[in-house]
Coordinates of all heavy atoms in Angstrom, one line a residue:
M905 N 13.3 -1.3 6.9 CA 12.0 -0.8 6.8 C 11.6 -0.6 5.4 O 12.4 -0.5 4.5 CB 12.0 0.6 7.5 CG 12.4 0.6 9.0 SD 11.2 -0.1 10.1 CE 10.2 1.4 10.3
K906 N 10.3 -0.7 5.2 CA 9.7 -0.6 3.9 C 8.8 0.6 3.8 O 8.1 0.9 4.8 CB 8.9 -1.8 3.5 CG 9.7 -3.1 3.6 CD 10.6 -3.2 2.4 CE 11.3 -4.6 2.5 NZ 12.2 -4.7 1.3
T907 N 8.8 1.3 2.7 CA 7.9 2.5 2.6 C 7.1 2.4 1.3 O 7.6 1.8 0.3 CB 8.7 3.8 2.6 OG1 7.8 4.9 2.6 CG2 9.6 3.9 1.4
F908 N 5.9 2.9 1.4 CA 5.0 2.9 0.2 C 4.2 4.2 0.2 O 3.7 4.6 1.2 CB 4.1 1.7 0.2 CG 3.0 1.8 -0.9 CD1 3.4 1.6 -2.2 CD2 1.7 2.0 -0.6 CE1 2.4 1.7 -3.2 CE2 0.7 2.0 -1.5 CZ 1.1 1.9 -2.9
A909 N 4.0 4.8 -1.0 CA 3.2 6.0 -1.2 C 2.0 5.6 -2.1 O 2.2 5.2 -3.2 CB 4.0 7.1 -1.8
C910 N 0.8 5.7 -1.5 CA -0.4 5.3 -2.3 C -0.4 6.1 -3.6 O -0.9 5.6 -4.6 CB -1.6 5.6 -1.5 SG -3.1 4.9 -2.2
G911 N 0.0 7.4 -3.6 CA 0.0 8.2 -4.8 C 0.8 7.6 -6.0 O 0.6 8.0 -7.1
D912 N 1.7 6.6 -5.7 CA 2.4 6.0 -6.8 C 1.5 5.1 -7.6 O 1.8 4.7 -8.7 CB 3.6 5.2 -6.3 CG 4.7 6.1 -5.8 OD1 4.7 7.3 -6.1 OD2 5.6 5.6 -5.0
V913 N 0.4 4.6 -6.9 CA -0.6 3.7 -7.6 C -1.9 4.4 -7.9 O -2.5 4.2 -8.9 CB -0.8 2.5 -6.7 CG1 -1.8 1.6 -7.3 CG2 0.5 1.7 -6.6
V914 N -2.3 5.3 -6.9 CA -3.6 6.0 -7.0 C -3.2 7.5 -7.1 O -3.0 8.1 -6.1 CB -4.5 5.7 -5.9 CG1 -5.8 6.5 -6.0 CG2 -4.7 4.2 -5.7
P915 N -3.2 8.1 -8.3 CA -2.8 9.5 -8.4 C -3.7 10.4 -7.6 O -4.9 10.2 -7.6 CB -3.0 9.7 -9.9 CG -2.9 8.4 -10.6 CD -3.4 7.4 -9.6
G916 N -3.1 11.3 -6.9 CA -3.8 12.2 -6.1 C -4.0 11.8 -4.6 O -4.3 12.7 -3.8
C917 N -3.7 10.6 -4.3 CA -3.7 10.1 -2.9 C -2.4 10.4 -2.2 O -1.4 10.1 -2.8 CB -4.1 8.7 -2.8 SG -4.3 8.1 -1.1
D918 N -2.4 11.1 -1.0 CA -1.2 11.4 -0.4 C -0.9 10.6 0.8 O 0.0 10.9 1.6 CB -1.2 12.9 0.0 CG -2.3 13.3 1.0 OD1 -3.1 12.3 1.4 OD2 -2.5 14.4 1.3
A919 N -1.5 9.4 1.0 CA -1.2 8.5 2.1 C 0.1 7.8 1.8 O 0.4 7.4 0.7 CB -2.3 7.5 2.2
T920 N 0.9 7.7 2.9 CA 2.2 7.0 2.9 C 2.3 6.2 4.1 O 1.7 6.5 5.2 CB 3.4 8.0 2.7 OG1 3.4 8.8 3.9 CG2 3.3 8.8 1.5
W921 N 3.1 5.1 4.0 CA 3.4 4.3 5.2 C 4.9 3.9 5.2 O 5.6 3.8 4.2 CB 2.6 2.9 5.1 CG 1.2 3.1 5.0 CD1 0.3 3.1 6.1 CD2 0.3 3.3 3.9 NE1 -1.0 3.3 5.7 CE2 -1.0 3.5 4.3 CE3 0.6 3.4 2.5 CZ2 -2.0 3.7 3.4 CZ3 -0.4 3.7 1.6 CH2 -1.8 3.8 2.1
V922 N 5.3 3.7 6.5 CA 6.7 3.1 6.7 C 6.4 2.0 7.7 O 6.0 2.2 8.8 CB 7.6 4.2 7.3 CG1 9.0 3.5 7.5 CG2 7.8 5.3 6.3
C923 N 6.8 0.8 7.3 CA 6.5 -0.4 8.1 C 7.7 -1.3 8.2 O 8.7 -1.1 7.4 CB 5.3 -1.2 7.5 SG 3.8 -0.3 7.5
D924 N 7.7 -2.3 9.1 CA 8.9 -3.1 9.3 C 9.0 -4.1 8.1 O 10.1 -4.5 7.8 CB 8.7 -4.0 10.6 CG 8.9 -3.1 11.8 OD1 9.6 -2.1 11.7 OD2 8.3 -3.5 12.9
S925 N 7.9 -4.5 7.5 CA 8.0 -5.5 6.5 C 7.0 -5.2 5.4 O 6.1 -4.4 5.5 CB 7.7 -6.9 7.0 OG 6.3 -7.0 7.3
E926 N 7.3 -5.8 4.2 CA 6.4 -5.6 3.1 C 5.0 -6.1 3.4 O 4.0 -5.5 3.0 CB 6.9 -6.5 1.9 CG 6.3 -6.1 0.5 CD 7.1 -6.8 -0.6 OE1 8.3 -6.5 -0.8 OE2 6.5 -7.6 -1.3
D927 N 4.8 -7.2 4.2 CA 3.5 -7.7 4.5 C 2.8 -6.7 5.4 O 1.5 -6.5 5.2 CB 3.6 -9.0 5.3 CG 3.9 -10.2 4.3 OD1 3.8 -10.0 3.1 OD2 4.2 -11.3 4.8
D928 N 3.5 -6.0 6.3 CA 2.8 -5.0 7.1 C 2.3 -3.8 6.2 O 1.3 -3.3 6.5 CB 3.8 -4.4 8.2 CG 4.1 -5.4 9.3 OD1 3.3 -6.4 9.4 OD2 5.0 -5.2 10.1
V929 N 3.1 -3.4 5.2 CA 2.7 -2.4 4.3 C 1.5 -2.8 3.6 O 0.5 -2.1 3.5 CB 3.8 -2.0 3.3 CG1 3.3 -1.1 2.3 CG2 5.0 -1.5 4.0
L930 N 1.5 -4.0 3.1 CA 0.3 -4.5 2.3 C -1.0 -4.6 3.2 O -2.1 -4.3 2.7 CB 0.6 -5.9 1.7 CG 1.6 -5.9 0.6 CD1 2.0 -7.3 0.2 CD2 1.0 -5.2 -0.7
H931 N -0.8 -5.0 4.5 CA -1.9 -5.0 5.4 C -2.5 -3.6 5.6 O -3.7 -3.4 5.5 CB -1.5 -5.6 6.7 CG -2.6 -5.7 7.7 ND1 -3.6 -6.6 7.6 CD2 -2.8 -5.0 8.8 CE1 -4.5 -6.4 8.6 NE2 -4.0 -5.5 9.4
A932 N -1.6 -2.6 5.8 CA -2.0 -1.3 6.0 C -2.7 -0.7 4.8 O -3.7 0.0 4.8 CB -0.8 -0.4 6.4
V933 N -2.1 -1.0 3.6 CA -2.7 -0.5 2.4 C -4.1 -1.1 2.1 O -5.0 -0.5 1.6 CB -1.7 -0.9 1.2 CG1 -2.4 -0.6 -0.2 CG2 -0.5 0.0 1.3
A934 N -4.3 -2.4 2.5 CA -5.6 -3.1 2.3 C -6.6 -2.4 3.1 O -7.8 -2.1 2.6 CB -5.5 -4.5 2.7
I935 N -6.3 -2.0 4.3 CA -7.2 -1.3 5.2 C -7.5 0.1 4.6 O -8.7 0.6 4.5 CB -6.7 -1.1 6.6 CG1 -6.6 -2.5 7.3 CG2 -7.5 -0.2 7.5 CD1 -5.8 -2.5 8.6
H936 N -6.5 0.8 4.2 CA -6.6 2.1 3.6 C -7.5 2.0 2.3 O -8.4 2.9 2.1 CB -5.2 2.7 3.3 CG -5.3 3.9 2.4 ND1 -5.7 5.1 2.8 CD2 -4.9 4.0 1.1 CE1 -5.5 6.0 1.8 NE2 -5.1 5.3 0.7
A937 N -7.2 1.0 1.5 CA -8.0 0.9 0.2 C -9.5 0.7 0.5 O -10.3 1.2 -0.2 CB -7.4 -0.3 -0.6
R938 N -9.8 -0.1 1.6 CA -11.1 -0.3 1.9 C -11.8 0.9 2.5 O -12.9 1.3 2.1 CB -11.2 -1.5 3.0 CG -12.6 -1.9 3.4 CD -12.6 -2.7 4.6 NE -12.1 -2.0 5.7 CZ -11.6 -2.6 6.8 NH1 -11.5 -3.9 6.9 NH2 -11.2 -1.8 7.8
D939 N -11.1 1.6 3.4 CA -11.7 2.7 4.1 C -11.7 4.0 3.3 O -12.7 4.8 3.4 CB -11.0 3.0 5.4 CG -11.2 1.9 6.5 OD1 -12.0 1.0 6.2 OD2 -10.5 1.9 7.5
D940 N -10.7 4.2 2.5 CA -10.5 5.5 1.8 C -10.8 5.4 0.3 O -11.0 6.4 -0.3 CB -9.1 6.1 2.1 CG -8.9 6.5 3.5 OD1 -9.9 6.9 4.2 OD2 -7.8 6.3 4.0
H941 N -10.7 4.2 -0.2 CA -10.9 4.0 -1.7 C -12.1 3.1 -2.0 O -12.4 2.9 -3.2 CB -9.7 3.5 -2.4 CG -8.5 4.5 -2.3 ND1 -8.5 5.7 -2.9 CD2 -7.3 4.3 -1.7 CE1 -7.4 6.3 -2.6 NE2 -6.6 5.5 -1.9
G942 N -12.8 2.6 -0.9 CA -14.0 1.8 -1.2 C -13.8 0.5 -1.8 O -14.7 -0.1 -2.3
L943 N -12.5 0.0 -1.7 CA -12.2 -1.4 -2.2 C -12.4 -2.4 -1.2 O -11.7 -2.5 -0.2 CB -10.8 -1.4 -2.8 CG -10.5 -0.6 -4.0 CD1 -9.0 -0.7 -4.3 CD2 -11.2 -1.2 -5.2
I944 N -13.5 -3.3 -1.3 CA -13.7 -4.3 -0.3 C -12.6 -5.3 -0.3 O -12.1 -5.8 0.7 CB -15.1 -5.0 -0.6 CG1 -16.2 -4.0 -0.6 CG2 -15.3 -6.1 0.4 CD1 -16.3 -3.1 0.6
E945 N -12.2 -5.7 -1.5 CA -11.0 -6.6 -1.7 C -10.0 -5.9 -2.6 O -10.4 -5.2 -3.6 CB -11.4 -7.9 -2.3 CG -12.2 -8.8 -1.3 CD -12.5 -10.2 -1.8 OE1 -11.6 -10.7 -2.6 OE2 -13.5 -10.7 -1.5
V946 N -8.8 -6.1 -2.3 CA -7.7 -5.5 -3.2 C -7.4 -6.5 -4.3 O -7.0 -7.6 -4.0 CB -6.4 -5.2 -2.3 CG1 -5.4 -4.6 -3.2 CG2 -6.8 -4.3 -1.2
P947 N -7.6 -6.1 -5.5 CA -7.4 -7.1 -6.6 C -5.9 -7.5 -6.7 O -5.0 -6.7 -6.4 CB -7.9 -6.3 -7.9 CG -8.4 -5.0 -7.4 CD -8.1 -4.9 -6.0
A948 N -5.7 -8.7 -7.3 CA -4.3 -9.2 -7.4 C -3.4 -8.2 -8.1 O -2.2 -8.1 -7.8 CB -4.3 -10.6 -8.0
D949 N -4.0 -7.6 -9.2 CA -3.1 -6.7 -10.0 C -2.7 -5.5 -9.2 O -1.7 -4.9 -9.4 CB -3.7 -6.4 -11.3 CG -5.1 -5.7 -11.2 OD1 -5.7 -5.7 -10.1 OD2 -5.5 -5.2 -12.3
L950 N -3.6 -5.0 -8.3 CA -3.3 -3.9 -7.5 C -2.2 -4.2 -6.4 O -1.3 -3.5 -6.2 CB -4.6 -3.3 -6.8 CG -4.3 -2.1 -6.0 CD1 -3.7 -1.0 -6.8 CD2 -5.7 -1.6 -5.4
V951 N -2.4 -5.5 -5.9 CA -1.3 -5.9 -4.9 C 0.0 -6.0 -5.6 O 1.0 -5.5 -5.1 CB -1.7 -7.3 -4.4 CG1 -0.5 -7.9 -3.6 CG2 -3.0 -7.3 -3.5
A952 N 0.0 -6.4 -6.9 CA 1.3 -6.5 -7.6 C 1.8 -5.1 -7.8 O 3.0 -4.9 -7.7 CB 1.1 -7.2 -8.9
A953 N 0.9 -4.2 -8.2 CA 1.4 -2.8 -8.4 C 1.9 -2.2 -7.1 O 3.0 -1.5 -7.1 CB 0.2 -2.0 -8.9
V954 N 1.3 -2.5 -6.0 CA 1.7 -2.0 -4.7 C 3.1 -2.5 -4.4 O 4.1 -1.8 -4.0 CB 0.8 -2.3 -3.6 CG1 1.4 -2.0 -2.2 CG2 -0.5 -1.5 -3.7
R955 N 3.3 -3.9 -4.5 CA 4.5 -4.5 -4.3 C 5.7 -3.9 -5.1 O 6.8 -3.7 -4.6 CB 4.4 -6.0 -4.6 CG 3.8 -6.8 -3.5 CD 4.0 -8.3 -3.8 NE 3.2 -9.2 -2.9 CZ 3.6 -9.5 -1.6 NH1 4.7 -9.1 -1.2 NH2 2.8 -10.3 -0.9
S956 N 5.3 -3.6 -6.4 CA 6.4 -3.1 -7.2 C 6.8 -1.7 -6.8 O 7.9 -1.2 -7.2 CB 5.9 -3.1 -8.7 OG 4.9 -2.1 -8.9
Q957 N 6.0 -1.0 -6.0 CA 6.3 0.4 -5.7 C 6.8 0.5 -4.2 O 7.2 1.6 -3.8 CB 5.1 1.3 -5.8 CG 4.5 1.4 -7.2 CD 5.5 2.1 -8.1 OE1 6.3 2.9 -7.7 NE2 5.4 1.8 -9.4
I958 N 6.8 -0.6 -3.5 CA 7.4 -0.6 -2.1 C 8.9 -0.4 -2.2 O 9.6 -1.1 -3.0 CB 7.0 -1.9 -1.4 CG1 5.5 -1.9 -1.1 CG2 7.8 -2.0 0.0 CD1 5.0 -3.2 -0.4
R959 N 9.4 0.5 -1.4 CA 10.8 0.8 -1.4 C 11.5 0.6 -0.1 O 10.8 0.7 1.0 CB 11.1 2.3 -1.8 CG 10.6 2.6 -3.2 CD 10.9 4.0 -3.6 NE 10.5 4.3 -5.0 CZ 9.3 4.7 -5.3 NH1 8.4 4.9 -4.4 NH2 9.0 4.9 -6.6
D960 N 12.7 0.3 -0.1 CA 13.5 0.1 1.2 C 13.8 1.5 1.7 O 14.1 2.4 0.9 CB 14.8 -0.6 0.9 CG 14.5 -2.1 0.7 OD1 13.7 -2.7 1.4 OD2 15.0 -2.6 -0.3
V961 N 13.7 1.7 3.0 CA 14.1 2.9 3.6 C 14.9 2.6 4.9 O 14.6 1.6 5.6 CB 12.8 3.8 3.9 CG1 11.9 3.1 4.9 CG2 13.3 5.1 4.4
A962 N 15.9 3.4 5.2 CA 16.7 3.1 6.4 C 16.0 3.4 7.7 O 15.1 4.3 7.7 CB 18.0 4.0 6.3
Ligands
LIG1554 ZN1 -4.8 5.9 -1.2

């Protein structure tokens, strides 16, 4: 399982996810970024930042 906390990239955001794969996390984050942060598209550098903060969880 993979976990990601939006607050690691966007200070003050308390959204977190636990998904089966990194791609699932990125998909969920993209929806969250659009709905909660107003980002129509997630820029490549933000995707890279998200990927760097995704952690393995048992
Ligand atoms: Zn967020």
